[in-house]
Structure formats: structure tokens, C-alpha cells
Amino acid sequence: MGRPFDFPGGIELPDNKTQSLQSPIRQPSLPDHFAVPLLQHIGEHARACVQPGDTVLKGQRLADSDRGAGVPVHAPTSGTVTAIEARQVPHPSGLEDWCVRIEPDGRDQWTELADCPDYAELPVEEQLSRIHAAGIAGLGGAGFPTDAKLVAGDGARIRTLILNGAECEPYITADQSLMRERPEAIIAGARIISSLLGAEECLIGIEDNKPEAIKALQEATNGTGIEVVVVRTRYPSGGEKQLIQLLTGQEVPHDGIPADIGVLCQNIATAESIYRALRFGEPVISRITTLTGKALERPGNVEARIGTPIIHLLNEAGLHEDNLKRLIMGGPMMGFDLPSITAPVVKGTNCLIAGTADEFPDSPIPQPCIRCGLCEQACPMELLPQQLYWFARSGEYDKAEDFNLFDCIECGACSWVCPSSIPLVQYYQHAKGAIREQRREQEEADRARLRFEQRQARLEKEKAEKEERRQARMEARKHKASGATPESAASSGPDLETLTRRRDDAREKVDEARAKLEEARETAPEAVTKLERALNKHQKRLDSAEQALANAHESSTE
Amino acid sequence: MLTTGRIMQWVIAATLPGLLALTLFFGWGNLINVVWCTLVAMGTEALILALRKRPVTFFLSDGSAALTGVLLGLALPPLLPWWISLIAAASAILLAKQLYGGLGSNLFNPAMVGYALVLISFPEAMTTNWAQPLALLDEAPGLLDTLAIIASLAEPATIDGITGATPLDVYKHEIGSRLASTVTADPIFGDGIARGWEWVNLAFLAGGLFLIRLKIITWHIPASFLGALTLMTLLFGYDPDQSVPVQMHLFAGATMLCAFFIATDPVSAATSNKGKLWYGAGIGILLYIIRAWGSYPDAVAFAVLLMNFAVPFIDYYTRPRTYGHRKPERGLPS
Ligand code: SF4
Ligand code: SF4
């Protein structure tokens, strides 16, 4: 491969990666309990399939999920389920969520795993369902269920599979250590994904500040046709859109997904877990997590079991709690402050930074924007951050949208370079939230109005119809009274006429009942069942009246 | 990491070579003006901040008022009476900046508003108080002499030939009736372009390139400005016997100061890279038009202010194409 393509903007950051790369990946000890969240990614909660008191083996399924909706979760060790309870989970909102609490028995005994040396021979469907069953969700951070992502790519013809090993955020070295130590598993996983997708080429994007990982991957890819593309270290080269642009020169359409241009991105750690799932039947019960920051005595990477309380890992790495100023999950640019130190590790926990006050000094008081344009030069999405800021701040959300606010990937490059220390991304996040809220309210209002109008129109129509029928009946009666029976009525006889009238009356009642029911659905839900029954009754009467009329018709025409 | 205060400091630092050249070739006038205008600008800023009940030291420390003062001191005629500089500097801060809500909210370049105001009000003083090159004087006035002139205690006329018009002005007025060779025989043109001025402009150019290197400014505005000015001269003023030649447009007068320090004032300039190109080119074209066909000898202030007007318009029509979008959005949001 020649020179990779380029993306606009971007910034060079102090990478702070060496601290955590001094030692190989460590295996932490078992904590006194685990709390495995039932939802660790975008999608639905998994349904618990164990109960408090159950004993479980390591790797046993704790909760299940349908394909397309979410992924199952598994026991990180053998032990006893002691509770299924709401707990603090690592989420910026600080909300609690359901977790399965397990107390280890110390034996760490595996459940039976489906070892499968010829995994490559398995049919596509089977491979996908095993990937799902292993609970694999994107390990890069956002965590989209992987089987769903692979299927979604299926229809759209993926030409290029890109493995994201850029890891462009400072501090994080989880992917780097995995590439350094387990390149073969990554490549094996890449080949599985590649063949599942029928991709023509597979590229691994990696920044040039990881020489050992590059070397390891180059050796492992030798002869596989997979290409290791080394890109210049520049944040945010690991952003999905930026990496695609770097490696293919193409841009993901602003209202589309990478599959629209025949590209699919996967994180290298996801590839590794896919290999483990198919080859050894191992579900995702651990991930590589970087523990770093100056408040730790022994920074490094650990193979952290999902559900381990974060405090346990930090203590093992020598946490000085007094020095801890900020605890960040993810990187310093796009990560978030953990609301609680007891929250558990989840599938997306790629990094925990225990930062001290001198690492993360308070940001200075923002000064006015001087329109220096540094933010614009840094923006990888070619937005105009200073204009977005202006609009966001003054609440001119329509203008912000018009300036493509929603294309902002919240990478924070603009805030980083702003000489006036304006927390730009916070303004964008706030504006996006406000706009979404507005949209939701608008939709709500639209729907209510539509419902009202439809109902109004229906009532009008029903009234008109009823009126028409009444007119017709009056007409008929008049005719009868005057003896001037119309032809049809004459031939059908009085019997038929009565039947018709009965039918019409019944229909009217049905209409009335239906209208009442509709109304009750909106205004008085408690009356709905009763009214439903009434409607049924009237409907039945109408049916029999119609039947009678039809029979009479038949007999009269015979 | 750059901070806003640091940016202003660097810009001020980058003007020092130009200030040095001005002082070497034209005497103490500019240096005195720079100090005086800076004091007035900062004083005015502090006063207004205090009146508006804003934190004075916090905002003064951003250095923007100081920079406005420095730029005015560099641009004004070196021997201008003190009270005219005072009006220029005070109104720059008061009218052009604080009335708009302070740093970042002003539409117009404050220094140029101050400059234009005094240029319109005191056209005579603004054209005749330019210091002549020291090399042409029998005896260079010392610091105290210069102070005395500026303080209006001594009449400049008492020191023979110390003030006059700028070479640009002289050339423009003389060339109508004489040939280029006879016009440039005047010693203020020296052997090259314009005695002293060429060095001053080179010094500002050097300072400007330094700012580009530091990524404090981008190349777009200076490049398009100088390019447009050159192009205009080549198109309309190619005959040195009829109009001011291109080297004089570029290296006499305030051209380089404008290119790198005035037109690039971020607050009042266009924002996107493409917008900056248009903005710079607009200033170049207007500068030529006013210099060549207007009645003012130099026109940096008017050219810049006119383009400041156009900035919102330029910004709306030069938005970059966002990643993943096929075309850049144009025009005002509906
Ligand atoms: S970097 Fe900051 S000060 Fe400069 S234009 Fe952007 S928001 Fe304004
Ligand atoms: S946070 Fe948004 S506006 Fe700022 S640099 Fe990143 S993409 Fe651009």
C-alpha cells in the first residue's frame, strides 16, 4: 500500500501511553463479588435466566437476548448468584441499572465449552449465531451488538473490512497491548469476519506510535492478504469516519453508514473475541482494560473480567485514593467521569484513568471567542466550531443544525485547541440534547394533532352517514304510508323492508358503540373493556341482521 | 498550549522587528506612539470594564486592548500630535469594541476604526506628520525632541524637513506631471523603492511569517491580499510613468503591516479558509482602488473596514463542505 489518504484537521496530543505499556497484560485476582450489568451496549436489556441462589459456572449464560435486540451476558467466574439488583453502572448519567450479582466460589471452573477446530467450515448462520451467543458487542467503546452489525453489512455488499487498531486517544493502550501480545488471534478473527462478509480486502489501520504492535501484526498477517496500514499519529485518526477516510479516501455519507460505501469497521479486540468464540466457544467474560493515571502506582493493562468492581482493579494497581482527582472511563478526550468508583467493568471499558490534580488541572475560566479559527483548523469533520458555538450559546438551534451540528462527532479537538478555553463540546452536546428534545415534543404534538383531526373527520363522516340512512328510512316509510311503494320494495315485500330497517338500526348502534369506544380509548381507559363488550354485542346483532336480510334477499330473488 | 492572552502577546512580539525598523529609519516617533496608544487603549478598556462592572484584570489580561494600541501606534503618522492619537486609541476601544460588547463581539477592526475616524476628522495632520528618513536629516531629533514635537510643545517646522508626506503620496501626486525617473530622484525614494520603508515592510513580513509558523495566523489572508494587490497593480498600474509601480505598492506604506497584522485580526475577519481568501482579496482590491483613484494617500483602514462589512456575507457563502456532505451548504439558513 502506498501512502494512506488523509483527513482534514486533527491535532497532536501528548500520548501518555508509555506508563501503561511497561508490563505485559496482567490477570487480576478474583474480587469478592461481581456485578454483571444486563445491558452493556446499545440495544435492549438481556433477560436474566438465573435466579438468586443458583450456582453458576464460569462462562455460563446469565441472561439471554434475542438476535438483533441485544446480546447475552455470561458469568465471569464460577460461584453463586446472590442477587439481581439495580446498581450504579458506568454511564455518564450516573443512573442505576440491573446487574446480576455473583459471589465467586474461588474454583473459577469453566462450564463446558464447544471447542471447534474446524470453525471455518460452519455455515454462515451458525457462525453468526455463535457470535451472538458469545455475547460479543463492539469492544471499541460504543458497543453495538456485533452479529447485528455483521448482518446489517450483509445486504449492502461490503468490499472493504477495516480493523480499527488506531487507538488514537491518549492514555489508552488496551488495543495496543492486545496487538502486541495476541496478534494471531486478531488476524484469525479478521479472517472470520472477512469471510462472513465476503469482503474483497481487509485493512488494519494503526498509528505509527505503536511500533511493536505494527511489527507483531505484520508478522501475523504475512501471507494472509491482510494489509497493515500505518497512519500518522494524529487525533482522531481512530474515529470510524476518519479511519475510513484515511484508509480508503472515501467519506461516509452524512445520513448513511459505512456499509453504504461498501466498508465495515470493527475494532481489533472484537476480532479477537470472535476468534475465541468460534474456535474455543468462549463467551466474552473479560476484556483488556488499561489502568493508568498518576494516582496509580502500577499502571498497566489487565484482562479485566466483566462485572469486576472498578475499585478492585484500581486497588490492585496501587490506587492512592487521596490523590485521585478524576476517574475517567475511556480516554481523556471522549471518555466521561465515572459517577461511582464501585461501578463494574463492562464490555466497553477500554480504559480507566485515575488522574491526579496535576494531571487534570481545573480548566481556566473561558474567555470570549476571538474567532481565531484554530478550532476550525482542528475540526476533522470540517465544521465551523466557532459558529456552532455561537448558535448553540444563543439558542439558535435551527442555525446550528443548518451548520451541520449533527455531523459533529464530539471528538473535542476544537475544545482542545481553543485559546479561550471554551468548553465547545459541552455546548454542542447541550444543543443536540435540546434539539432532540424539541423534536420529540414536536413529534408528540404532531401526532396528537393528527389523532385529533382523524377522529374529528371520522365522527363527521359517521354523522353524515347516519343522517343519510335516516333520510333513506324516512323516505321508505313515507313511500309505504302513501302506498307508492318503489319497484324494488314492492318486489321484496314488507318482510324485506323490516329486515332492512333492522339492519340499519343495528348498524347505527354499532357505529355509536365504536365511536364511544374510540373516545374512551383516548379519554377514559378504564371504560374500554366494558365498551368493547358492548361493541361486540352490537356487532353480533348487526351480523345476524345482515344475515337475515341476505337470506330474505336470496329467497325473494329466487 | 496557546491561550488567548498568549496569542495577543505573540502578535505584539511579532511586530517588534517592524517597530525596530521604523525607529531605526524614522526616529522615535512610532515607539512613543506605540507606548502612548497602548496606555490609552488599556486605560480606556479598564475604565469601561469598571463602569460595566466586569472583572477588569481578567479581561485586560487577554491583551487585546494592548494589541489595538500597538497596531495604532505603528500605523499612525509618527509625529502626530498626542491628542489625535489619544482620540484614535480611545475611540478604537470605546466605539469599535466596548459598545459592541467587548472582545469577540466587534464587527469592525478597532484599530482601523480609530484610524479612520482621525483620518476623516484631521486629514491634514494625518498626511503631513510622517517623519522623513533620518538619513536625509542633518541632525536626527533625539527622544526628547521627538517627545516635544508630539506633545505639541515644539513646532515640527522648527526642525527643518523633519516631517512630510509619504513616498506613496508623493509619487501619486508627482507622477501626473513628471516621469518616473524624475519623481524617484527625490531622496525619499532612496536607491530602491522607498528609503526606509522597504526595510520596515520586510521586517513586518518577517514577523508575519513567524506568526504563520506559530500557527497563530494562517497564510490565507496575507497571500490573497498581497496577490490581489499585485494583480490589480499589474492590470491597472503597469506603467510606472503613469501610476505607482507594484514594488512600491507592496513595500512602501502600511502594506505588510496590514497583510499580517491588521487584516488578520481574527475577530473582524472571515472565518473559514475559503472565506479568508475572499476577504483578503477584497482588501487587496479595495486598497488598490482607493490608493489609485481615491484622494487618500494610503487606504488600509478603509479597505479593511469595508471588508469587515462584508464578513457576515462572506461567511455565509464560503462554508466548508462538511465531511460526508456532497456539497457545502450555502446562503443564509432559512
Ligand atoms: S478556537 Fe475558541 S476562540 Fe478560537 S475561534 Fe474557536 S471557539 Fe473561538
Ligand atoms: S467536537 Fe465536533 S466541532 Fe469539535 S472538532 Fe470534533 S467534530 Fe469538529
Side-chain angles (χ1 to χ4, degrees), chain B residues 21 42 50 80 85-86 93 104 152 178 189 192 232 240 265 275 283 288 300 305 309 318 320-321:
Chain B
M42 292 182 72
L80 197 64
S85 328
L86 177 129
I93 299 295
S152 308
R178 292 154 68 193
F189 291 99
M232 286 296 284
D265 162 46
I283 296 178
Y288 184 82
V300 163
L305 291 177
F309 259 121
T318 52
R321 183 187 65 85

Side-chain angles (χ1 to χ4, degrees), chain A residues 367-376 385-386 389 414 417-422 424 428, chain B residues 4:
Chain A
Q367 286 172 299
C369 166
I370 53 166
R371 309 207 331 148
C372 64
L374 287 174
C375 49
E376 184 194 340
Q386 72 278 51
Y389 159 67
C414 51
V417 296
C418 177
S420 287
S421 323
I422 304 173
L424 295 166
Y428 307 150
Chain B
T4 292

Side-chain angles (χ1 to χ4, degrees), chain B residues 87-110:
Chain B
I87 293 175
S91 52
I93 299 295
L94 181 72
L95 297 180
K97 188 173 171 194
Q98 291 297 342
L99 279 190
Y100 281 93
L103 178 62
S105 308
N106 45 304
L107 290 180
F108 299 102
N109 185 321

